[in-house]
Amino acid sequence: MRAVLVLYFKYFLLWDEDLATSIYHAFVALCYLTPILGAIVADSWLGKFRTIIYLSIVYAIGQIVMAVSAIHDITDTDRNGTPDNMTFHVALSMLGLVLIALGTGGIKPCVSAFGGDQFEEHQTTQRSTFFSVFYLCINAGSLLSTIITPILRSKECGIHSQEQCYPLAFGVPAVLMVISLVVFIAGSGMYVKAAPQGNIILQVCKCIGFAIKNRFKHRSSKYPKREHWMDWASEKYDKLLIVQIKMVLKVLFLYIPLPMFWTLFDQKGSRWTLQATTMDGDIGLIVLQPDQMQTVNPILILTLVPIMDRIVYPLIKKCGFNFSPLKRMTVGMFLAAMAFVAAALVQLQIDKTLPVFPSSSQAQLNLLNIAESGVTVTIPPNEPVVLGAGQASEDYIMFETDTIEVSLNTTSEARRFTLTKEMRQTLLIAPGNFLNLVEDKTAKPEKGGNEIRFVNALSTPVNVSTKAANYETISPLLFSNYSLIPQGKHTFNITNGVQKCEYTKILGYGAAYTILLPSNLIWDDCGNIGDIEEIQPNSVSIALQIPQYFLITAGEVVFSVTGLEFSYSQAPSNMKAVLQAGWLFTVAVGNFIVLIVAELAKIPQKWAEYLLFACLLVAVCVIFSIMAYFYTYMDPAAIEAQYREEKELEPEEKEQLEMTKDQVVNTTEDVDVFSRRTKM
């Protein structure tokens, strides 16, 4: 559903790019905040099975609400394809997204854990296989959805008018979610359903809260200092729990710089998708929709994960390098920064192909002669322009003033016209020195489509139609309205009621054309119809986004997979859920950062915004590497065992234990997986 969400915001709800990006990332952030709520509900109240069922129902309802919100015919009373009551659609969309965030976030911590509950302690091999298949299914689903959902979105549907089919793009996932829920419930009798045993996250929060409160209460200098501020909880809580929380806090401290990685990573679904709408999706054998470029991510994940695990990491180890987890995460952050440098370079190439539109103090004018003879047009202070029959000026003429005087062939009396600032306009020159000023497009066409209009130089009305649009009747010497025509080969049927012909044109992405029906139109084959290119089509290939997708995915594989592995290895056995919640929280914070930058920075140049994010991540990468340098790896199992033994020792033995406790951490140098300290 996320694959098409930002396009839905921009093209259906008609939001600008910054607002669309902000709401997209607010939604993603909410999806990664609600897992904490889901974990608490499952562990303290309902259990994993019932939590999955109840919140999946909420999830499915949210998808259905989103599908309904995208039906434009509900409020399209004038049947022009645009909703008349946009507030209704926005409110329904926001309700749907909140329900989806509650559903997807709520079941996120439960589904994989519920799968793990189905295995006995001795079935480690089977459990490992399950998680591998589970991860494979997630990425296979991601791959299929990023291919199929944009195709569904690009279809046209509607009762009164045909528009892009967002209801289908949202509705199909809703139906599949309902089916999957039915299948899941059908297997209820086969599941092992562990009873809720209390939530460790709540227990940790209470212990930390008590430590802070107790420390504040005893802040006077008359109270002796304690080795760690968490030791102030020892009056109420078990010493082992306090030690476990200390280990968790040590890892959580390393999480502080991590949100910046997710700030960049999740923009592949927003900014990068919007960037793709200004590119050419035809890459030879296939034509890609802008939102289908995200397909590259799951394809590369399925490819890179085994390559890194089986080839790259073993090769680095054989070469004698200590490529520890924190070093890998640092490299992953750097790769993500380089991905945004690549995106900035691509944006610079796109900007070179974009037309120069008039500023607030300027106006632009194009000249089009549809008369049967040539004409010389003089508009002081510019040089005279000579136009042949059926010819337009080579480019738009820029004016700093809004009033111009136009004379033809140096003999006619000058006529005064008022231009509109910030607009492009065309001055139509017709037989008998008839002049007509009309407005042109002043922005790239939306959705990667093409804005096409016709001008009729015939002496009789004509009717123009195609599958994508119906221009109806065009009177003599007048323009039709623009119609948005998608990429591809299109045949236009032209008739004056007596004669007819077919005009075929192959369209790319993002162009605007005025098609001239000349006064001497050859009705046999429409052979002498001409077109004036007002805005050139997208010429930068969408394939240029592949390097940035490769870099960001390589960064994800090195950063995310390694980060979870590192976190689990450094967490006590009963605290892994706390670190999972902390990890998901970094994703939420990262998306909030995008929201803040998009709304407050308002950087007009997209390439500059990409470079800003890259520089921020490089700076954070340096900070993280310094933090990693001073981090000492732990063996949580050994530390826990040490404190459990302490409870069983005699008083005189406890004193000896205290003297050797610091050696526990040092023994972890012998652990094969990690070295004791990382270098920059």
Side-chain angles (χ1 to χ4, degrees):
M1 192 274 295
R2 278 171 57 184
V4 300
L5 189 57
V6 74
L7 298 183
Y8 170 73
F9 290 156
K10 184 179 180 184
Y11 297 129
F12 186 89
L13 299 182
L14 304 180
W15 292 346
D16 61 42
E17 289 192 4
D18 287 335
L19 181 58
T21 300
S22 298
I23 300 300
Y24 173 89
H25 287 284
F27 166 67
V28 175
L30 188 59
C31 288
Y32 283 94
L33 284 175
T34 50
I36 300 174
L37 178 63
I40 293 172
V41 169
D43 291 342
S44 305
W45 182 29
L46 294 177
K48 298 184 187 72
F49 178 73
R50 286 197 294 168
T51 301
I52 292 170
I53 291 177
Y54 295 158
L55 290 181
S56 291
I57 293 171
V58 173
Y59 195 161
I61 292 172
Q63 285 283 14
I64 293 168
V65 171
M66 278 299 295
V68 173
S69 75
I71 302 174
H72 64 274
D73 290 301
I74 294 176
T75 62
D76 186 15
T77 53
D78 55 6
R79 301 183 179 183
N80 66 347
T82 303
D84 298 321
N85 185 0
M86 195 61 77
T87 304
F88 170 82
H89 293 275
V90 170
L92 215 55
S93 299
M94 295 304 101
L95 174 62
L97 289 178
V98 169
L99 292 175
I100 290 170
L102 286 173
T104 185
I107 68 173
K108 197 182 291 290
C110 300
V111 175
S112 58
F114 184 71
D117 288 346
Q118 307 310 304
F119 300 91
E120 302 289 341
E121 287 298 323
H122 64 277
Q123 294 177 310
T124 53
T125 305
Q126 291 88 339
R127 186 189 293 116
S128 177
T129 303
F130 164 76
F131 283 118
S132 297
V133 173
F134 181 70
Y135 188 70
L136 179 67
C137 288
I138 290 173
N139 284 283
S142 177
L143 175 60
L144 287 172
S145 66
T146 47
I147 294 173
I148 296 171
T149 310
I151 294 174
L152 298 176
R153 186 266 309 164
S154 65
K155 302 294 182 184
E156 293 190 342
C157 61
I159 300 171
H160 305 301
S161 58
Q162 299 291 303
E163 298 294 329
Q164 288 198 331
C165 206
Y166 289 103
L168 188 62
F170 294 144
V172 168
V175 172
L176 294 177
M177 189 66 199
V178 172
I179 293 172
S180 68
L181 180 57
V182 171
V183 172
F184 179 71
I185 294 173
S188 174
M190 297 183 285
Y191 302 146
V192 174
K193 301 168 188 172
Q197 297 175 347
N199 189 269
I200 190 66
I201 297 176
L202 289 177
Q203 195 174 356
V204 169
C205 291
K206 288 177 181 178
C207 184
I208 292 174
F210 180 80
I212 295 172
K213 181 181 177 182
N214 200 31
R215 175 68 185 91
F216 183 76
K217 189 184 296 184
H218 299 87
R219 61 187 181 276
S220 173
S221 58
K222 67 180 181 180
Y223 296 104
K225 289 185 177 181
R226 302 189 183 182
E227 185 180 351
H228 191 281
W229 62 271
M230 274 303 303
D231 291 331
W232 288 96
S234 58
E235 284 88 346
K236 183 176 180 180
Y237 290 91
D238 183 67
K239 196 170 185 180
L240 178 59
L241 176 65
I242 294 171
V243 170
Q244 291 170 331
I245 293 175
K246 286 180 185 178
M247 289 187 277
V248 167
L249 291 175
K250 189 176 180 181
V251 178
L252 289 178
F253 178 72
L254 276 179
Y255 280 6
I256 293 174
L258 303 191
M260 202 65 216
F261 173 86
W262 301 112
T263 297
L264 276 68
F265 178 78
D266 279 327
Q267 288 189 65
K268 62 183 174 58
S270 57
R271 290 296 200 211
W272 287 11
T273 299
L274 293 171
Q275 183 188 61
T277 62
T278 62
M279 304 178 77
D280 182 7
D282 189 348
I283 57 174
L285 296 176
I286 57 173
V287 176
L288 290 175
Q289 299 294 328
D291 33 358
Q292 282 182 318
M293 271 307 292
Q294 297 177 59
T295 307
V296 176
N297 178 251
I299 291 175
L300 287 173
I301 285 178
L302 295 173
T303 306
L304 289 176
V305 168
I307 289 176
M308 299 298 286
D309 285 342
R310 301 292 177 85
I311 300 174
V312 177
Y313 293 154
L315 199 60
I316 292 174
K317 190 175 181 180
K318 279 190 176 181
C319 293
F321 294 108
N322 176 27
F323 198 37
S324 62
L326 293 180
K327 286 182 180 177
R328 294 182 201 174
M329 293 173 69
T330 306
V331 170
M333 297 168 80
F334 182 75
L335 288 172
M338 292 304 100
F340 267 65
V341 173
L345 294 175
V346 170
Q347 189 62 47
L348 285 171
Q349 292 301 313
I350 294 171
D351 290 347
K352 290 178 183 176
T353 67
L354 296 177
V356 178
F357 293 112
S359 67
S360 58
S361 62
Q362 297 173 323
Q364 290 181 341
L365 184 67
N366 186 31
L367 304 173
L368 174 59
N369 176 28
I370 64 171
E372 297 179 1
S373 58
V375 65
T376 301
V377 185
T378 304
I379 308 176
N382 298 284
E383 293 293 323
V385 179
V386 179
L387 300 174
Q391 186 180 355
S393 52
E394 290 185 5
D395 203 352
Y396 281 86
I397 305 169
M398 189 77 75
F399 292 93
E400 300 293 336
T401 179
D402 56 358
T403 303
I404 60 171
E405 293 188 347
V406 182
S407 58
L408 305 178
N409 295 326
T410 69
T411 58
S412 66
E413 183 180 344
R415 292 179 56 185
R416 179 171 291 183
F417 290 89
T418 300
L419 303 178
T420 305
K421 291 291 182 69
E422 287 190 272
M423 291 294 298
R424 283 182 159 189
Q425 294 172 282
T426 289
L427 183 64
L428 181 69
I429 305 165
N433 290 346
F434 172 77
L435 300 177
N436 184 23
L437 190 64
V438 296
E439 290 186 354
D440 298 348
K441 287 293 176 182
T442 320
K444 287 283 280 186
E446 295 182 340
K447 309 174 188 176
N450 302 272
E451 296 283 3
I452 309 295
R453 69 178 175 182
F454 287 80
V455 58
N456 180 16
L458 296 163
S459 57
T460 58
V462 295
N463 188 285
V464 179
S465 63
T466 184
K467 287 183 178 180
N470 186 359
Y471 292 89
E472 298 180 345
T473 302
I474 308 172
S475 301
L477 310 183
L478 293 179
F479 286 85
S480 69
N481 292 324
Y482 284 100
S483 286
L484 191 65
I485 310 294
Q487 177 271 346
K489 186 176 181 180
H490 295 272
T491 299
F492 298 88
N493 301 301
I494 304 168
T495 179
N496 62 359
V498 179
Q499 298 169 292
K500 63 180 180 180
C501 66
E502 293 183 347
Y503 171 68
T504 301
K505 185 169 181 61
I506 298 175
L507 300 173
Y509 291 89
Y513 296 96
T514 293
I515 298 176
L516 172 61
L517 306 178
S519 57
N520 58 344
L521 177 63
I522 301 173
W523 287 99
D524 291 338
D525 59 358
C526 289
N528 61 339
I529 290 179
D531 60 62
I532 297 95
E533 184 181 89
E534 300 170 13
I535 299 175
Q536 72 177 58
N538 302 344
S539 56
V540 178
S541 174
I542 203 169
L544 285 182
Q545 280 196 323
I546 293 177
Q548 67 200 57
Y549 271 98
F550 176 82
L551 288 168
I552 200 78
T553 307
E556 177 192 8
V557 170
V558 177
F559 176 88
S560 183
V561 176
T562 305
L564 287 171
E565 171 197 335
F566 164 77
S567 301
Y568 272 54
S569 71
Q570 297 293 284
S573 57
N574 64 335
M575 295 280 178
K576 300 191 188 299
V578 179
L579 284 184
Q580 177 73 4
W583 183 266
L584 295 174
F585 186 72
T586 65
V587 181
V589 174
N591 280 274
F592 278 126
I593 293 172
V594 185
L595 191 156
I596 293 167
V597 172
E599 284 301 312
L600 298 183
K602 298 288 185 183
I603 301 173
Q605 301 294 336
K606 288 291 180 286
W607 65 266
E609 184 175 282
Y610 292 145
L611 282 183
L612 171 64
F613 280 118
C615 292
L616 287 173
L617 186 55
V618 169
V620 168
C621 188
V622 172
I623 294 170
F624 180 76
S625 64
I626 295 171
M627 293 169 66
Y629 179 83
F630 292 102
Y631 181 82
T632 304
Y633 287 96
M634 304 175 293
D635 184 355
I639 295 174
E640 286 177 316
Q642 193 82 46
Y643 277 91
R644 287 192 179 99
E645 288 175 11
E646 182 181 355
K647 287 185 177 181
E648 302 172 2
L649 294 177
E650 296 297 328
E652 61 271 13
E653 293 175 307
K654 289 186 178 182
E655 184 178 348
Q656 182 181 357
L657 181 64
E658 291 294 334
M659 297 172 60
T660 61
K661 194 171 290 178
D662 290 336
Q663 299 175 7
V664 174
V665 173
N666 295 333
T667 60
T668 60
E669 290 184 349
D670 299 327
V671 179
D672 293 333
V673 183
F674 306 117
S675 64
R676 189 175 69 87
R677 174 177 288 181
T678 60
K679 308 298 182 192
M680 287 185 62

